[in-house]
Amino acid sequence: MERLLAQALSGEGFFAFPGVLLLRGPDAFSFLQGQGTRDLRRLSGPSGVLFLNHKGQIEEAATLFPHPEGFLLAPWGSLEVGERAEGALPAEPYPLYTLLKGLPLLSDIQGELPQSVGLLHLVDYGKGCYVGQEIMARTEGKEVPYRLVGLRAPEGGEAPAALTLEGKRVGEAKRLLETPFGLLGLAVVRKEVPVGAEVEGGGGRYRVEALPFKEAAWSGQRSSG
C-alpha cells in the first residue's frame, strides 16, 4: 500500500474509473450545455464539469472528454467498484492519494457552492443558461465565507461532523482517514479560521492545515529520526 501510494504521489502510473457515460446524438451538445457548468464551445480537451441544483450547490461532478460521437463523462467518486483497468494502479490508495493532494471526492463537495471548495475554475461565466446559473451570476466576483482545508487530528474523531472553534460553529469535517502520517481529513471551514487553529467536532480535535498536505511530496522513505 505505501509503495503504491508513493508511486502515485510521485506521478508514476494512473488511476482509472470503472466506467464512463457516452452522450451522443443530435441533442447531446445542447443537453449537456444546458446542464453543466462548462462551455462546450471552449472545450479543447479533458476538463472537470460540475452539475448544480437550483441553489447553485454541487449535485454531481465528472471529468468531461470530447469524443468523435459526442462527449464522454467519467463521474467523480470512489474506485471501489468495477474491474481494474489495464495498466492502472489499484484502487486502494486512491482515497488517501486524493486526501493528501487536497483533491475532493464527490462526497466531500456535494451540497457545497463551487466557490467554497475551490472549484470556481470549473464554472464558465457567460455561457448561457444551465441549472444553477442564476445563483452563479449573482455571486460572480463576490467572496464566499468558506474554503476547503486539511485537518490533522491529535485526537481521533469521525466525519462528517460539524466543527466548532471556541464554541462557535465554523464548518464541517467532510472526510477523515487513518494514514501512515496519522489521522488526516478534509473540511470546509469559514475563511476567518486561520491555518494552525484547533477546531473540534465528531468527538475529535483537529489542527487546520493548508492543502495539499506536506506529505503529498512523500517519497516512500520514512525518516530515521
Side-chain angles (χ1 to χ4, degrees):
M1 174 70 169
E2 292 189 9
R3 178 184 61 80
L4 292 171
L5 176 61
Q7 182 180 349
L9 291 173
S10 67
E12 300 176 13
F14 63 94
F15 293 104
F17 285 89
V20 294
L21 175 67
L22 172 61
L23 295 180
R24 62 182 181 181
D27 298 324
F29 179 93
S30 59
F31 173 78
L32 193 55
Q33 183 80 341
Q35 297 296 319
T37 58
R38 303 311 304 265
D39 191 340
L40 303 183
R41 296 169 298 184
R42 307 181 195 173
L43 194 68
S44 59
S47 172
V49 60
L50 304 175
F51 299 92
L52 313 178
N53 61 24
H54 68 284
K55 296 180 180 180
Q57 300 164 325
I58 298 170
E59 290 283 342
E60 298 288 343
T63 301
L64 177 64
F65 299 85
H67 186 273
E69 297 183 34
F71 301 93
L72 285 173
L73 286 169
W76 292 7
S78 73
L79 302 179
E80 296 173 355
V81 297
E83 298 180 0
R84 178 180 171 186
E86 183 178 354
L89 293 169
E92 288 78 12
Y94 184 72
L96 180 50
Y97 167 83
T98 59
L99 176 62
L100 294 178
K101 288 286 193 179
L103 303 173
L105 300 178
L106 179 59
S107 57
D108 300 324
I109 61 176
Q110 280 181 321
E112 301 288 346
L113 294 172
Q115 302 95 312
S116 299
V117 289
L119 295 176
L120 192 58
H121 62 286
L122 299 184
V123 177
D124 289 331
Y125 288 98
K127 59 160 285 191
C129 293
Y130 61 92
V131 179
Q133 183 268 341
E134 183 176 350
I135 300 299
M136 290 295 99
R138 289 180 186 175
T139 58
E140 184 177 4
K142 296 180 180 179
E143 187 174 353
V144 295
Y146 291 91
R147 74 189 195 282
L148 191 69
V149 298
L151 297 177
R152 191 179 299 269
E155 297 179 7
E158 57 185 33
L163 294 175
T164 62
L165 176 64
E166 299 177 349
K168 177 183 177 181
R169 178 165 179 165
V170 293
E172 182 179 5
K174 296 292 187 176
R175 176 165 43 129
L176 291 171
L177 282 179
E178 288 288 354
T179 80
F181 321 105
L183 187 63
L184 302 177
L186 291 180
V188 174
V189 301
R190 295 191 64 86
K191 288 187 174 180
E192 61 262 31
V193 178
V195 169
E198 288 197 351
V199 294
E200 298 180 348
R205 182 169 53 90
Y206 318 98
R207 185 172 68 248
V208 174
E209 296 201 2
L211 294 172
F213 285 98
K214 62 183 180 181
E215 287 86 356
W218 183 51
S219 66
Q221 300 297 319
R222 292 187 177 275
S223 170
S224 58

